[in-house]
Structure formats: C-alpha cells, structure tokens
Amino acid sequence: MQDVHSHRLPFDWHAPDRALQVPLLADSPHSGHVYPLDFHSRAPLRVLRRAEDAFVDQLWSALPTEGAGLLAARVSRSYVDLNRQETDLDPQMLASPWPGLVEPSEKTQLGHGLLWKNLGSVALYDRLLSVAEVQARLALVYRPYHDWLGQQVRHLHRRFGGVWHLNLHSMPSGVKALFTTSTVPDFVLGDRLGTSCSADFVATVEHLLRAAGYRVVRNHPYSGAAIVKQVGKPEQNRHSLQIEVNRALYMDERHHRKHSGFEALQADLAMVSKQLASYVRSCAS
Ligand SMILES: [Zn+2]
C-alpha cells in the first residue's frame, strides 16, 4: 500500500521518440498496481490484484521507441476505474448523497463501475464511502489521467490532422468459457461494433496480429468501454480501438507473475508496433 499523495502524477507517461513521432497514442488504464493508503478495502491484496491488467504497459513497451506515446496508470483499477464514466457510480455505496450527476450503467449493476463493489464473491468494502474520499479519487487519480490523455489526443490531432489511439487491456483466460475450443481468442479487438475507428484501422491491427500467428476476434465479449467511446470519433479522424490480450499467453494468473511466454509476446508486439506506426504515418501524410 502506498500513499497516492506522495506521487507527483498518478500515471507514467512514456513519451514518444521525438524524431519518429507519429499520431499514434496508447493508454493502459488498468495495469496500475499502486494501492493508496486511504483505500481501506477489506479484500485481500491477492484478490484485488486479479482485477489488474498486469504487465500490459510492459508488453507494449516498444511503442514509444516507434514514435507513439504510452500512458500507463499507476493506481489500481479497484481504487477507481479509469475506463468508466465519472457518473457511473452506485449511490448505495456512499454515506451521503452524491452532489453531482449519477448515471449507473450495467457495469455498476455488475459491481464494476467507477468504484468496484466486489471482485467475484469478495466485497471490497465493509463500510460506506464518504463523498469526500470519492471526490479525492477523482481529483487525484481519475481526472489527471483523463486530462493528460485528452491533451495528447488534441495535440496530435492539431499537429497531424488525425489521431490513432490504442486502449490496451488484458483479459482473464477464463474468457474461454464463452467460446468453443477451436475459437478461444488470443486477442479481442473492440471498436464499439464499428463505431469508434475506421474499418481500415481495425482491419490493419487484426491483420498484423494474425500474421504474427494469433487468434483474433472482434467485439465479443469486449467491445470497448468509456475511453474508446470518448476518444473515438472517426468522423473527425479520431480513431480509437480497444485491444484485449489473453493473460494465459504471458502470465501465471494464479501466482500473479510473468511466465516464459512473456518475452515472445512482447517481441511480437514490438513488431506489430513498428508496422502500426508505419501504417499511421502513411494515413497521416
Ligand atoms: Zn482492462
């Protein structure tokens, strides 16, 4: 557990190589593993860590050297989920009425809104949260991340006339229960059913991953959430795509550590990053 107030920024910004900069931008909102001191969750750390998209920022670490900035959360998603609307919360979790707008989505109904209520059968809190502590999570963690992402999107769009964004995640291998044995995916690409980026962008990412030998599906069971929705406005030449990678490819989920497949996957994603930067360069020129 760490004190979030002791950090200058609640995220890491891996700046792009300036000489190679392209209007490609990535963010990893769920790979953070800092648990702030004021979290006061009753769930054990080993349970909380299951919510992390562990090591995803490291898997894609080649992006900055290819000219694409990479924003990575430092704080755990179970503290405040950056891939949710600010209004996606359950007033029943609070000790007093929320002073702003409340629009709980189905994520909140499932206990995984802006504030997670449970992880599997484990409840995160044995108390009600104060409005002040939730406001502090928004002010210190949520908004700085979104402000930075928004600034980068606008900056690239102004400079290059368009922006291509990857929202990076990982999915538990248990997702296989949703597929037949022959179709268990290595990657799920989410473009909000064809609405958050150009058809060409998603087809290019799909092609590059398939060419590297991976099984890729689109939009099922993950079609993209708040960040992709917010960034992706293809009619304005703002393209946003969610990429989920199967954790079984690179980590031992039970013991929460990388396994021997990590480096091979990281190397493949370095190759994909290079080709994608080249694709985006051609789109923007
Ligand atoms: Zn995620």
Side-chain angles (χ1 to χ4, degrees):
M1 299 274 170
Q2 292 183 37
D3 185 356
V4 71
H5 306 267
S6 69
H7 295 104
R8 198 168 56 83
L9 291 171
F11 54 79
D12 290 313
W13 170 241
H14 304 282
D17 182 313
R18 283 184 158 238
L20 293 174
Q21 192 170 15
V22 287
L24 178 63
L25 171 70
D27 88 297
S28 173
H30 292 157
S31 52
H33 45 84
V34 168
Y35 289 84
L37 284 171
D38 65 357
F39 190 6
H40 302 306
S41 171
R42 62 174 288 283
L45 190 58
R46 66 177 168 74
V47 173
L48 293 172
R49 299 209 75 180
R50 283 189 217 140
E52 295 172 14
D53 291 349
F55 316 120
V56 162
D57 50 338
Q58 296 176 44
L59 280 175
W60 291 91
S61 62
L63 279 166
T65 56
E66 300 299 339
L70 170 62
L71 174 65
R74 304 190 71 232
V75 177
S76 160
R77 79 183 299 190
S78 52
Y79 182 72
V80 61
D81 196 326
L82 300 169
N83 200 21
R84 299 289 181 264
Q85 302 287 348
E86 224 182 276
T87 53
D88 192 356
L89 50 83
D90 177 2
Q92 309 268 17
M93 291 176 71
L94 304 175
S96 55
W98 185 247
L101 193 62
V102 174
E103 299 170 306
S105 75
E106 75 282 359
K107 306 275 190 196
T108 284
Q109 321 292 346
L110 295 168
H112 296 169
L114 179 76
L115 304 166
W116 281 37
K117 191 172 185 176
N118 56 58
L119 247 162
S121 59
V122 181
L124 261 60
Y125 303 99
D126 52 8
R127 63 191 179 91
L128 293 173
L129 281 73
S130 75
V131 164
E133 72 180 305
V134 176
Q135 285 174 326
R137 294 181 192 194
L138 289 171
L140 295 171
V141 180
Y142 184 97
R143 288 188 196 129
Y145 186 92
H146 280 266
D147 289 351
W148 190 274
L149 183 63
Q151 279 168 26
Q152 294 302 321
V153 168
R154 287 190 296 276
H155 164 73
L156 291 173
H157 191 267
R158 252 196 325 269
R159 183 172 158 195
F160 294 94
V163 59
W164 286 259
H165 168 249
L166 302 174
N167 182 234
L168 306 172
H169 298 263
S170 67
M171 55 192 174
S173 60
V175 72
K176 63 176 174 271
L178 301 168
F179 294 86
T180 60
T181 336
S182 59
T183 61
V184 178
D186 297 316
F187 289 88
V188 178
L189 305 181
D191 64 358
R192 296 188 60 85
L193 309 174
T195 62
S196 69
C197 66
S198 70
D200 198 43
F201 186 41
V202 61
T204 299
V205 175
E206 184 175 65
H207 167 76
L208 292 173
L209 290 170
R210 286 208 172 130
Y214 295 102
R215 284 200 176 116
V216 187
V217 300
R218 294 190 194 182
N219 292 309
H220 174 71
Y222 307 108
S223 64
I227 292 178
V228 165
K229 187 177 179 188
Q230 187 182 313
V231 175
K233 300 187 183 343
E235 70 285 358
Q236 296 173 28
N237 214 20
R238 287 168 48 150
H239 306 278
S240 184
L241 178 67
Q242 176 172 285
I243 302 183
E244 297 269 3
V245 59
N246 194 324
R247 289 179 195 160
L249 287 178
Y250 70 92
M251 71 180 280
D252 170 349
E253 293 163 274
R254 205 176 131 94
H255 298 101
H256 200 84
R257 61 190 174 208
K258 295 172 195 169
H259 65 44
S260 58
F262 180 88
E263 284 183 15
L265 177 60
Q266 189 186 41
D268 286 342
L269 294 179
M271 182 56 70
V272 167
S273 300
K274 189 182 201 62
Q275 291 166 320
L276 210 47
S278 163
Y279 164 80
V280 166
R281 192 172 286 115
S282 72
C283 289
S285 57

